[in-house]
Every structure is written in structure tokens, then in C-alpha cells.
Amino acid sequence: MRQRFLCLFFPRLGIDRLERQNPQRRSSAFAVVREERNHLYIAAVNDPAKDAGIRPGARLADARTLLPILDIVLDDPEADEQLKQSLVEWCDRYSPLAAHDGPDGIVLDITGCAHLFGGEAALLEKIQTLLREMKFHVRGAIADTVGAAWALARFSKQGVVTREELTNALDPLPVKALRIACETAARLDQVGLTAIGHLRRISRDSLAARHGPGVLLRLDQVLGLAEEPITPYRAPAPYRAGRTFAEPIGTAAAIERTVLDLLRKLCTRLEKEHRGARLFNLDCYRVDGSVVRRQVRTSKPGRSVTHLMRLFSERTSSFDVGFGIEIMVLSAADIGTSAPVQMTLPHCGDSIEKDTSLDELLDRLGSRLGFDRVCRFQIRESLLPESSTEFVPVTNALPSSACWPENRVRPVRLIEPPAPIEIAEIIPGKSPVQIRIGRQLHRIVRAEGPERLTPEWWRDRPSRWKTRDYYRIENQRGARFWIFRETTWSGERWFLHGHLP
Amino acid sequence: MGSVFRTEAASAPERATRLRETIEPLVAIQRRFSRTVPVSQEIDAGLPYRGLPLGCIHEVRSSGLACGIAFAAMLAARISSPGGQIVYVASDRTLYPLGLLAYGVQPERLIHVVVRRPLDLAWATLEALRCPQVDAVLAVVKIADLTLCRRFQLAAESHGATGFLLTDVVSRATTPVASVITRWQVFPIPAPPESTFEEPCWEIELSYCRGGRPGRWNAAWRNGRLEPLASKPVRRAGLLHPNTLAG
């Protein structure tokens, strides 16, 4: 299939960014300057400065002689990069394959997309109008190859160029439009090869021999004789369904209805392919240009429409639609296999369904509270009580085949970190006779121990804890505690680690 | 009930109808609480349902939660259906599953849910109670009003899960009177000299029971069941054990 590419060229993105931040700048002359070898050079200028005769590339000192009141701003490539990233995301609504193209361009693979927006000319017109309304200077072009669209956007006035018109449109363009190095272009100019048409007419062998294979490759790429893949800014979701609205929608019922339709579409496809997804992304493009994203995660690969709809309705209830939503796109990621299970037998009239209520409960809990808050327990090989069990999110929990240790007397809740306590009275080497927890004094009538637990010296980071001697003690009222003694070179310390039932 | 016997003049069929009207709700209650788990031989004898009814909400009060968790875990472990889960909802991560092994709870059955706000706690507990694959829900509640308890009760009745609201008397957690089916208070008592630490001794008080009478038992957890202790009265200062306040 023949591919079609749309290139957008932003000739003065830095100026646009600053003017959008402060609209008053538009009326007074100002320039973006760049520091290079301890000199300040003009990087870009706005319209009033351009009228005053200041050109990019000049030294600031020279520009100031022309216009002493010239306002300057130091360039900020990171902010420009960020702005362009959000522009690429904005363009995402027209094609899932949007990519950066140098510091000042964006390229979209619009193969098979244009008819959704009323044809290529209408699409290009729409994008340019919207971006110009957002106060960007932009020029776009559509052609069969990335190279041709790039060249046309920068060096030609033509917008949409068909395959038949391509060579005619390219021939008069300067050789710089081939995306070759400046020195190569200058050398070609010197020998009189000033336009792409000139290069096309001389033999390929001599072109490669005299001017290097790079020029030939670029020429082939422009003409579509060599492949040139683009790298989308994000991997396109293979499972994706979207809808564009004639009129922006804003009511909860309409949004819900659309999500349901999109889910049905996506889940039917997943079911056909015996797959399920763990992650569903809903992108809503608002009229004002911002994007609202909602995400739903499940603990197992799923494709149940009713269940997913329930998860989404919890997430979309607090939804700021602004002036309305014009495009909604639902995509599924983290795909896993999920074979259908036969539960019913034909001609028996039974309607048994697999009980998935637990998975659905976990998904609902996880999507509202976060999956790190819905846990199962797993055992770890450790002697220290606090690290011998582990909270594992239900999404990562392994089917348990753990062998839990035999019944030992342990508290049902641990005090973490262990609380330091005071020993009011003690016979050395024995369990305490009186302990003080907070302000309470407890007389100990019964004690069991010690149970010695040693930390793991073979771990990468040795625990700050030393060997512990655990005692189980009971006070005169029957309350039971689990305390331990830690002996260090400076003496011994006592801690309360839990209440025994 | 007295009305049945006071109206001497009523005819025999009328009296029969009135008797039926009186009896029917009682039978309905009995049917409603027909699924039970045994607590212990002595305590079951004191309960109107001959065991702890399932599919409803019980409250277990204790000081510092330790005895309450142990008591509720022991009962939850006895509600066993294949693949049934026990959900523990709390605002911290202090539960220690190795301590629950002694009370029959297999850690594989446990799902631990951490919540930040009381609203989330109520929501998560309700969701868990409505799930048919959940046997029991243990929720550490700070405060619960009558409406919330009623919603818990309806959720539990509709799907058969049993809820245990664990309240800590030290932090003054409260639930309204008569909002649950049974209310238990479990406090430790001094063990007889011959017992070990593997056999905790509790004073188990049934302070409220719908359709039944309150009661108080002393029992020791021994060999996987509650065994009665010689019930010598234990002197306690009011509701709280002042000396168990700690941590």
C-alpha cells in the first residue's frame, strides 16, 4: 500500500513559545539569543525585529547597533523540546503514528487516516488553521515520502502533492531540501547543481562517485526509491478503538455510552483472538486542546465488558470535560492470553458461569485504592520476624506453594519499628521482673524464653539489628507481651515487638 | 406475646392466627440465622442460634486489638468453603500472618487491604462483603454509625459473607447499640500456673446478642479449640484493663 506522510514545519518555535507566554511581546521587537564561544548570537527574531533588519545568525552587538532597544531572551532548548512534545501528543488525534522530526518539525504517517477528516487537503487545512489559532507559525505538506513532505513544507508553497505531481513539484527545489549537510550542498551549488531536478538528470553512478553515497540515498528517499521508517513518539497500541464526534459531547451519559461501545468493539476482538488485557487506557481529546486520560488496570488479563465498564464508571465519575470532548480513543495494553472456558453443555439449558467475582473484587479494590494496597502474604526465608513475611500486590502474587513454618507463639500484629521499653528491675541474664511501657509499669509474673534469633550476616546490607533474645512475658493482669533484648558492645537494650493474644 | 393469652374471649381460629403471627417472625429469624459456626461447646449453649450465625455482622472489642484479631481469626478460619478468602481491611500494615497460623488461618487465604480514609474502609468492606468468594471480612473500624452498620448487615445477608468489626477499646472506637447481631469483648486473663504461652486464656464476654442473653465465659485456646476454665471471677476495673494499655 502506498504510504502518505504529513510534515509540519515550525520555523520559529522558540519565538512562538515566548509570545504565547506573554502576548505583549508580539508588538515590540525581541530576539532569542544563543551563546556560542563566549559571544551572543541572534537565534531567532520576531516580526518587528525582522522589520528592523535583524537577521538570525548575526551577533547581538551588531543587532544592537541597528536597534538599541532590542529585547533579548536566552534560548531554552529544553522548553522548546517540551513544547514540541506536547504538540506531537496533540497531533496524535489525527494519526497514531506521530513522530518528532528534527528540532523544528513533526511528521505524521497519515496512511488511511485522511478520509476520516474529509480528505488530505481538508486535513492539512484543519491542522494548520487550528495551530495558527493557537498562535504557532506553521507550514505543512503531504506527500508520498517523508523526505518529499519535509522538503515541500520548508521550501515550497504547495500543500498536498500526489504521486504523479511529485517529481514536478520537487524539481525546482534547492538541493538543501534533500536534508544533506551544508558543505555538500555548497559544493553542489558550486558545480551548478542548484536544484533537485539537476541531480535527477545526471547519472546515478557519477553522482555517487563525485559527491558520496549520502546524496544518492537522500535523493532515493525523497523520490520513494528507498525506505525511510519513522519512529512514533510512543509505540502504537495494537488494540485500539476510537470515535470522533460531529459535535463535542459533555454529558456523563454520552461518555459512558461511548466507553461502552468502544469496550464492546475492543473486547470482541480480544475474545476472537483468545486474549485479554491488563491495562486499558482511555484518552479523551477535549475541544480546548488538552487531553484527559483515564487508566484501568486489572489483576488478570481480562475482557469482560460489564466488569471493565464498572471499573471505568468509577474512574470517569470525576471527569472534567471542559467545553466538551471531540475524540475518544480506548486502547488496551499488557496483552496476555486468556483462553475461553467452556462451562455449559449444549442442549442442556444450563446457564453456569465461571465464578470470577474474586478477580473482579480485587480489580475494583485495586483500581480505587491502588494495587500496592491490595496484598497477599508471601513467606521469605529470613529469621527476623519483620522480614519473614512480605506484602505482595495481588497482581504479582505467585500461586502459593509456600511451606509456612510450624506453629510458634507469635503476635498477630507486629509493632514496627520495635518500641524501646525500659526495664525497671532485672536479674542479669534472666527475663525482666518489671518493665515500663510508656508510663505504665508492669509486674511480670510469668516469662518464657529466651528464643534467640540472629540477623542474616550474608545479606548485602547487613541489618542494623544485632542478635536478639525474645521473651514472652505476662503481667499480673494476664496481658501478654513479646519483647526482646538486643546486646551490643555498649550494653543491652530492650524492645517491645508485639502483643500476644 | 402477652396479648395472645389476655384475649380470652377470642375464638379458637382467631387465637390460632394470632399465635401463628407471633411464631412466624421467630421462625424466620431462626431460618435467617440457620448457617452457623461453632464457637465452643459452652458458648454455643448460651447462644440462641446454637452457634455463631453466618452472613451477618459481629463486633469484637478488645484492648489493643490483639485478642480481638485472634478471636475473629479463629472464627473466620472455621468458615471454610473451597477457595473462600478472608479479607482483612485496615489502615496499617501491622498484621503478622505467622501469628494467625495458631488460630487456623492459612495465610494463602488472606487478602490484606490497606485503606487511607474511613470512607475507603467502608467502601472496601462493603465490596468485600458482597463478593460470593469471600468467606469472612475482618475490618478494623474506628467509628461506625447506625446507617453504615445496617449497610454492612444488608451486604452480608445478601451474599453470605460474615463480617467482623474489630474495635479497639483503647482508642475508644464506638459502634451504636444494637447495630450488630452479636458484640463480643475479649480480654486476656492470668493463666493457670500449669498452662504455657501457647495456650492463651481469655475472658470472653457476649455483651449483646440479638434475640439472646448476654453471657461471660473464661476459656483457654488449647489444641485448636476453646476449652473452659474454672470460671473464678476476675476482678476487672471497669471496661478497660488499665494495665493492658500500651503501645
Side-chain angles (χ1 to χ4, degrees):
Chain A
M1 185 174 160
R2 190 190 302 162
Q3 283 186 302
R4 297 292 280 168
F5 292 95
L6 190 158
C7 259
L8 292 173
F9 171 50
F10 297 90
R12 24 182 279 191
L13 199 62
I15 296 281
D16 289 341
R17 174 172 61 81
L18 294 163
E19 283 185 349
R20 275 163 56 83
Q21 279 170 3
N22 185 0
Q24 286 168 0
R25 282 189 178 130
R26 218 165 276 141
S27 50
S28 65
F30 89 97
V32 175
V33 296
R34 168 181 83 227
E35 196 178 341
E36 208 172 278
R37 296 190 299 266
N38 285 334
H39 287 285
L40 290 175
Y41 290 91
I42 304 286
V45 291
N46 72 343
D47 286 335
K50 197 175 171 185
D51 295 342
I54 299 171
R55 296 280 172 268
R59 284 195 184 180
L60 176 63
D62 298 340
R64 279 267 160 86
T65 56
L66 284 174
L67 190 68
I69 55 159
L70 182 68
D71 193 12
I72 58 162
V73 181
L74 206 61
D75 70 339
D76 185 356
E78 275 173 26
D80 288 347
E81 189 62 31
Q82 213 173 2
L83 178 66
K84 202 150 81 63
Q85 176 62 32
S86 38
L87 279 169
V88 173
E89 282 178 32
W90 181 88
C91 288
D92 198 27
R93 66 188 64 194
Y94 298 109
S95 163
L97 302 170
H100 290 280
D101 180 21
D104 53 2
I106 292 173
V107 58
L108 303 174
D109 184 347
I110 55 158
T111 314
C113 297
H115 70 280
L116 299 171
F117 305 95
E120 289 180 344
L123 170 64
L124 185 62
E125 187 57 40
K126 189 173 179 182
I127 294 182
Q128 292 196 76
T129 313
L130 285 175
L131 284 171
R132 279 176 191 149
E133 274 172 12
M134 288 158 77
K135 303 290 179 202
F136 284 107
H137 286 76
V138 65
R139 253 203 57 70
I142 297 178
D144 269 9
T145 61
V146 181
W150 190 92
L152 291 166
R154 283 161 178 78
F155 296 97
S156 168
K157 295 247 179 295
Q158 272 172 291
V160 181
V161 173
T162 60
R163 189 172 190 75
E164 293 74 37
E165 297 165 356
L166 186 63
T167 45
N168 283 337
L170 286 174
D171 277 351
L173 301 187
V175 286
K176 270 196 293 184
L178 283 178
R179 294 176 292 169
I180 50 179
C182 290
E183 302 87 62
T184 320
R187 210 164 52 233
L188 287 168
D189 270 344
Q190 278 176 0
V191 296
L193 299 170
T194 53
I196 294 179
H198 301 156
L199 291 180
R200 224 160 46 75
R201 260 170 249 131
I202 63 172
S203 86
R204 295 168 60 83
D205 291 345
S206 64
L207 187 64
R210 283 161 194 254
H211 302 288
V215 178
L216 197 59
L217 176 70
R218 283 304 194 191
L219 189 65
D220 284 350
Q221 283 181 342
V222 165
L223 296 171
L225 302 172
E227 284 285 321
E228 186 182 2
I230 64 169
T231 316
Y233 83 100
R234 65 169 182 186
Y239 292 87
R240 196 177 148 106
R243 176 160 301 178
T244 313
F245 304 106
E247 286 288 320
I249 60 164
T251 60
I255 294 172
E256 203 158 295
R257 174 77 219 195
T258 314
V259 175
L260 185 64
D261 282 356
L262 296 178
L263 268 176
R264 280 210 187 108
K265 220 182 204 175
L266 212 56
C267 291
T268 316
R269 192 180 148 204
L270 284 169
E271 190 170 3
K272 252 185 222 158
E273 297 174 15
H274 292 191
R275 284 163 189 274
R278 278 201 194 82
L279 184 65
F280 289 84
N281 280 312
L282 179 70
D283 295 356
C284 302
Y285 296 87
R286 288 178 12 177
V287 179
D288 59 6
S290 61
V291 185
V292 186
R293 293 182 201 280
R294 285 288 181 276
Q295 211 174 51
V296 156
R297 234 170 231 291
T298 59
S299 54
K300 284 186 184 159
R303 51 163 187 262
S304 156
V305 175
T306 45
H307 173 50
L308 289 168
M309 192 58 221
R310 221 175 135 180
L311 293 180
F312 264 117
S313 57
E314 273 163 23
R315 307 281 292 126
T316 50
S317 53
S318 58
F319 212 71
D320 184 16
V321 294
F323 295 107
I325 293 170
E326 49 182 3
I327 300 172
M328 279 169 92
V329 175
L330 181 75
S331 55
D334 206 350
I335 306 286
T337 52
S338 156
V341 184
Q342 180 179 4
M343 295 297 285
T344 55
L345 296 169
H347 319 303
C348 295
D350 47 7
S351 61
I352 283 182
E353 277 184 23
K354 197 180 168 200
D355 197 353
T356 55
S357 58
L358 185 67
D359 294 335
E360 291 174 9
L361 169 72
L362 297 179
D363 290 346
R364 277 205 301 284
L365 291 174
S367 63
R368 172 149 166 181
L369 307 170
F371 272 103
D372 56 326
R373 290 169 170 269
V374 185
C375 304
R376 280 188 184 280
F377 291 102
Q378 264 176 13
I379 192 151
R380 259 187 16 198
E381 287 192 0
S382 170
L383 293 170
L384 291 184
E386 64 266 29
S387 46
S388 59
T389 60
E390 196 178 7
F391 285 85
V392 183
V394 282
T395 42
N396 314 353
L398 305 168
S400 175
S401 58
C403 180
W404 295 86
E406 76 283 10
N407 291 359
R408 280 186 240 153
V409 181
R410 290 284 181 266
V412 291
R413 283 169 85 209
L414 282 187
I415 294 171
E416 231 4 87
I421 52 172
E422 277 178 46
I423 300 301
E425 206 175 308
I426 188 166
I427 305 162
K430 289 266 184 93
S431 63
V433 183
Q434 270 197 347
I435 63 168
R436 189 194 297 275
I437 300 172
R439 277 175 296 174
Q440 292 275 336
L441 199 64
H442 299 266
R443 193 163 57 77
I444 305 306
V445 293
R446 283 206 313 156
E448 266 184 13
E451 180 185 352
R452 175 160 288 194
L453 299 179
T454 44
E456 297 93 346
W457 51 263
W458 59 88
R459 294 246 184 257
D460 296 340
R461 225 183 70 219
S463 165
R464 66 191 180 89
W465 297 102
K466 308 287 177 286
T467 303
R468 303 172 182 180
D469 287 332
Y470 276 92
Y471 289 92
R472 302 182 277 272
I473 56 171
E474 182 179 313
N475 72 3
Q476 75 274 25
R477 299 278 182 163
R480 282 168 281 258
F481 308 99
W482 204 45
I483 62 169
F484 68 88
R485 177 181 57 205
E486 189 190 75
T487 314
T488 57
W489 54 271
S490 60
E492 47 181 45
R493 292 186 298 169
W494 289 83
F495 294 91
L496 175 67
H497 209 174
H499 297 265
L500 293 168
Chain B
M1 263 226 240
S3 63
V4 176
F5 303 102
R6 234 182 290 128
T7 52
E8 296 289 335
S11 63
E14 263 178 32
R15 264 192 293 169
T17 322
R18 277 192 203 154
L19 265 174
R20 210 168 287 130
E21 276 170 9
T22 321
I23 291 165
E24 258 167 17
L26 296 177
V27 174
I29 286 177
Q30 223 166 34
R31 211 176 296 134
R32 188 167 145 209
F33 299 133
S34 58
R35 289 170 55 232
T36 58
V37 279
V39 186
S40 83
Q41 217 172 356
E42 291 69 33
I43 297 175
D44 288 348
L47 286 167
Y49 326 106
R50 304 289 156 224
L52 191 78
L54 299 185
C56 38
I57 302 295
H58 308 282
E59 185 187 341
V60 184
R61 300 169 70 101
S62 58
S63 66
L65 288 177
C67 295
I69 291 176
F71 184 72
M74 168 202 102
L75 295 170
R78 290 179 180 179
I79 313 167
S80 58
S81 58
Q85 307 287 320
I86 299 172
V87 180
Y88 179 84
V89 191
S91 55
D92 52 25
R93 292 177 190 253
T94 53
L95 190 72
Y96 190 54
L98 294 187
L100 297 175
L101 279 171
Y103 301 95
V105 173
Q106 285 305 310
E108 295 92 8
R109 287 179 73 196
L110 268 178
I111 295 168
H112 192 292
V113 182
V114 187
V115 290
R116 244 177 296 185
R117 298 173 300 163
L119 196 69
D120 284 339
L121 184 127
W123 174 81
T125 310
L126 277 172
E127 287 286 325
L129 282 170
R130 287 198 192 109
C131 177
Q133 281 179 294
V134 169
D135 281 342
V137 182
L138 277 63
V140 180
V141 295
K142 294 264 156 43
I143 194 151
D145 61 3
L146 201 58
T147 319
L148 188 60
C149 288
R150 184 76 194 134
R151 289 180 68 193
F152 286 157
Q153 176 64 30
L154 289 175
E157 266 176 37
S158 62
H159 290 94
T162 309
F164 294 95
L165 305 182
L166 306 171
T167 48
D168 188 355
V169 291
V170 176
S171 63
R172 298 201 166 71
T174 51
T175 50
V177 181
S179 56
V180 289
I181 303 299
T182 63
R183 176 175 292 127
W184 302 84
Q185 302 200 23
V186 185
F187 292 109
I189 52 172
E194 73 277 4
S195 72
T196 63
F197 274 82
E198 282 155 25
E199 301 165 356
C201 298
W202 297 324
E203 182 197 79
I204 300 166
E205 187 183 335
L206 178 63
S207 60
Y208 172 77
C209 174
R210 192 172 292 179
R213 288 162 185 277
R216 184 181 290 184
W217 299 269
N218 285 354
W221 178 250
R222 209 171 279 156
N223 305 326
R225 45 202 185 100
L226 281 175
E227 290 186 0
L229 282 176
S231 52
K232 79 177 170 194
V234 179
R235 198 169 289 280
R236 285 205 291 117
L239 192 65
L240 304 181
H241 278 286
N243 287 356
T244 57
L245 300 175

